Amino acid sequence: MSSALLELEGVTARYGPVAALHGVSLRVGEGEAVAVLGANGAGKTTTLRAVSGTVRRGGSIVFDGKSIARRSPESIARGGIAHVPEGRGTLTELTVHENLRLGAYVRRDRKAIAEDEERVLGYFPRLGERGSQRAGTLSGGEQQMLALARALMLRPRLLLLDEPSLGLAPLVVAEIFRIVGELNEREGLAVLVVEQNAALALEASSRAYVLEVGKVALEGESAALRRDEAVRKSYLGY
Amino acid sequence: MLLAFDWTQLAQQIVIGLASGGVWATLAVALVLIYRSTGVVNFAQGEMAMFSTFIAWSLVDHGLSYWAAFLLTVAISFVGGVAIERAVIRPVERAPVLTVVIVTLGLFFLVNGAARWLWSPETRSLPNAFSTRPIEVAGVAFSIQDLGTIGVSLGAVALLWAFFRFTKLGLASRAAAVNPDASRLLGVRVSWMLALGWGLAAALGAVSGMLTAPALASFDQNLMQPVLLYAFAGAVLGGLDSPFGAVVGTLLLGVLINLVGTYVDWVGTSLRLPFALAVILGVLLVRPEGLFGHASARRV
């Protein structure tokens, strides 16, 4: 088993008086792709938000050997965790190019940033063509690609992906998952992906967790979960 | 009456209008800056500008030249603006808009009171920033003071625009204003971007105050109250969320008010403020988003 890059233990989170996570424990190994499945309201999005520090949380969250449970979202991003949030977080009034530049905001190495922009645009050639266009004018699929490309500009060690398939056409979804898979395999980028579409998520990951009302109900190898009867019935629908 | 129309006078009145509009534009852009990042109009913006002007007066009083005092005051005001945001606005960063509005109203009285306490209420004056000689352009005499005022105020706004457009920090503060949550995830320290915005707004306000004062024979602690109203009217006209709109709106208003004041007898100088208020009312009724603003529909 690879060493843990991210380790959550007994993580709780709440929105005001409403508790959303009741002690979630999960781990993502170095260079591993891990999926989080579950019904609406199970706490998938909140789990990612707990990691990136955008929700009030408790418990232990260790990234790269250091506790990040009390750190701010800004400092967690600086530490190398890129979070593509629900709704993609597009800076709609800025251009595509400006969005990408902001992805590398915390970095100082100008030359490497320029190289990375070229490399990232290699994955998403369509964004290159739209460089000076306002990001808000992009289609949903393009905005999801921009969000992903922008996250890569951080040179993250861990990518948090929230429902990348939401509201997109199947072809676009397949394209996005293909690229994420490539990044994971080729560049060793660790990925923690939350997804409604369980079949897709299990295919793209090596391990997965199933959340139910704010707790881990089931975990295992993705391939094994795909054969699991309960998972099939509740999440895969066959 | 038509026969006696004097084109020279029209050109002169337009330039005079642009000069007042330019001064209002700097304060209007300051208002827009805060409005875009916090969603509130900073009612204390004018008083902060007045305070800056008094700082400039003190510096001049201690022997500095007008322009040395000008630059120093801009720097001091920037730091002061950042400090005010950290001390007064930061605690209410996540509070409802109304709370923040009340805080800026409180700030209005606080800054005004502080200026009255630090500087006795007697009137004072600043030296002229520019030569008072007229200059002839295409056969029409304009005042250098007016042209210089237009140049400095538009120059200050252009500098600010370049900062937002071409620097990484400027880009980050624009991002923080449009989508703070997403910006945080990119490592942008959103809260400090707000402070930066307050600093820049205060610096811009200082420019506005220091251009307003020398044009008057004397000034006191009420110096910027009418300017704030004109700036607000112009910003509403151009669109409160558009810096470009604020500049166009205030310049337009400056020219309009001056021309109406010159050519419509019963308006004269005494009805200028009510005219500005009428503009605010008219814009809000007919086109609430202003000439260049965005309708405040929200995507969910």
Side-chain angles (χ1 to χ4, degrees):
Chain A
M1 216 169 138
S2 53
S3 62
L5 178 64
L6 176 74
E7 187 134 35
L8 273 65
E9 237 183 88
V11 169
T12 58
R14 52 177 55 253
Y15 297 99
V18 185
L21 298 182
H22 308 274
V24 167
S25 301
L26 64 78
R27 58 187 295 282
V28 179
E30 199 88 54
E32 197 183 18
V34 174
V36 177
L37 316 178
N40 262 337
K44 305 188 299 291
T45 292
T46 309
T47 303
L48 293 193
R49 297 187 62 180
V51 175
S52 66
T54 43
V55 66
R56 232 168 224 277
R57 75 269 205 226
S60 145
I61 306 175
V62 176
F63 175 67
D64 199 19
K66 281 173 246 141
S67 169
I68 56 168
R70 307 189 70 89
R71 283 170 49 187
S72 69
E74 293 95 319
S75 117
I76 289 169
R78 282 161 197 265
I81 297 183
H83 184 174
V84 176
E86 206 176 13
R88 307 168 192 127
T90 312
L91 300 163
T92 49
E93 291 181 33
L94 308 189
T95 67
V96 169
H97 177 69
E98 286 172 334
N99 266 272
L100 289 177
R101 263 177 66 203
L102 274 170
Y105 176 70
V106 302
R107 294 169 53 186
R108 295 281 170 265
D109 43 346
R110 254 186 216 200
K111 225 180 112 201
I113 292 173
E115 283 167 16
D116 277 3
E117 187 166 346
E118 217 152 284
R119 187 176 59 89
V120 165
L121 288 177
Y123 283 107
F124 307 100
R126 229 183 314 167
L127 293 180
E129 295 159 22
R130 306 224 190 292
S132 55
Q133 212 169 305
R134 270 180 39 168
T137 64
L138 298 183
S139 71
E142 287 166 340
Q143 285 193 28
Q144 185 64 56
M145 291 184 185
L146 176 60
L148 201 50
R150 190 177 67 187
L152 295 177
M153 292 298 292
L154 182 72
R155 274 208 185 167
R157 296 187 55 202
L158 173 66
L159 179 65
L160 308 177
L161 266 183
D162 197 346
E163 299 265 8
S165 76
L166 196 71
L168 301 183
L171 266 179
V172 181
V173 174
E175 170 79 357
I176 283 168
F177 271 89
R178 183 185 65 72
I179 293 168
V180 171
E182 223 175 288
L183 290 164
N184 173 246
E185 276 162 37
R186 232 203 267 163
E187 307 197 9
L189 175 65
V191 180
L192 181 59
V193 58
V194 151
E195 191 41 83
Q196 283 271 2
N197 184 333
L200 211 57
L202 289 174
E203 200 143 321
S205 58
S206 56
R207 282 188 315 112
Y209 295 82
V210 178
L211 290 190
E212 263 165 32
V213 273
K215 268 191 177 141
V216 174
L218 205 61
E219 62 176 283
E221 304 275 323
S222 300
L225 285 176
R226 238 180 306 174
R227 290 190 302 269
D228 185 282
E229 182 119 8
V231 171
R232 260 184 27 208
K233 273 204 181 122
S234 334
Y235 300 105
L236 297 173
Y238 60 86
Chain B
M1 183 207 158
L2 266 178
L3 286 176
F5 194 81
D6 181 354
W7 290 102
T8 307
Q9 189 196 18
L10 178 67
Q12 284 167 336
Q13 291 303 328
I14 287 178
V15 168
I16 292 172
L18 285 176
S20 10
V23 172
W24 304 340
T26 47
L27 197 66
V29 171
L31 289 175
V32 168
L33 217 58
I34 304 287
Y35 181 79
R36 279 171 64 99
S37 54
T38 56
V40 302
V41 172
N42 176 14
F43 286 105
Q45 201 75 61
E47 295 313 284
M48 287 162 62
M50 174 273 292
F51 197 93
S52 297
T53 311
F54 273 82
I55 293 176
W57 177 85
S58 285
L59 292 174
V60 170
D61 198 43
H62 280 81
L64 256 63
S65 74
Y66 174 85
W67 288 109
F70 183 96
L71 292 177
L72 200 55
T73 301
V74 167
I76 295 171
S77 304
F78 174 81
V79 174
V82 170
I84 287 180
E85 198 279 342
R86 291 287 90 176
V88 182
I89 302 300
R90 190 168 180 219
V92 293
E93 215 170 82
R94 283 162 208 279
V97 165
L98 193 59
T99 310
V100 187
V101 170
I102 301 294
V103 168
T104 74
L105 274 176
L107 203 54
F108 177 102
F109 292 108
L110 189 76
V111 175
N112 188 285
R116 282 175 203 282
W117 179 66
L118 285 169
W119 292 279
S120 57
E122 77 214 35
T123 61
R124 49 204 89 214
S125 60
L126 269 181
N128 277 314
F130 303 94
S131 154
T132 45
R133 273 184 313 117
I135 185 175
E136 205 155 299
V137 181
V140 186
F142 297 108
S143 104
I144 292 185
Q145 166 108 12
D146 285 342
L147 295 177
T149 301
I150 298 171
V152 170
S153 42
L154 294 187
V157 171
L159 259 177
L160 193 76
W161 174 82
F163 165 76
F164 281 114
R165 184 75 182 69
F166 297 116
T167 71
K168 193 168 155 178
L169 199 59
L171 180 59
S173 35
R174 273 157 64 209
V178 294
N179 195 339
D181 292 335
S183 302
R184 250 177 228 118
L185 293 177
L186 303 175
V188 175
R189 295 196 169 95
V190 171
S191 170
W192 275 104
M193 293 300 144
L194 282 182
L196 176 69
W198 273 75
L200 291 171
L204 212 53
V207 171
S208 170
M210 289 185 290
L211 289 177
T212 303
L216 305 168
S218 68
F219 65 91
D220 60 14
Q221 279 86 345
N222 296 325
L223 169 72
M224 295 304 279
Q225 283 162 15
V227 180
L228 180 74
L229 262 178
Y230 290 125
F232 185 56
V236 168
L237 176 62
L240 250 184
D241 64 349
S242 159
F244 176 73
V247 173
V248 175
T250 41
L251 290 179
L252 213 60
L253 191 69
V255 172
L256 206 63
I257 286 184
N258 205 44
L259 291 185
V260 169
T262 309
Y263 293 108
V264 183
D265 291 340
W266 55 270
V267 174
T269 47
S270 50
L271 283 180
R272 287 166 59 117
L273 261 177
F275 183 81
L277 291 170
V279 167
I280 297 183
L281 198 63
V283 173
L284 289 178
L285 283 174
V286 177
R287 193 178 154 86
E289 70 271 26
L291 295 174
F292 299 95
H294 298 99
S296 61
R298 260 160 219 258
R299 198 184 288 193
V300 189

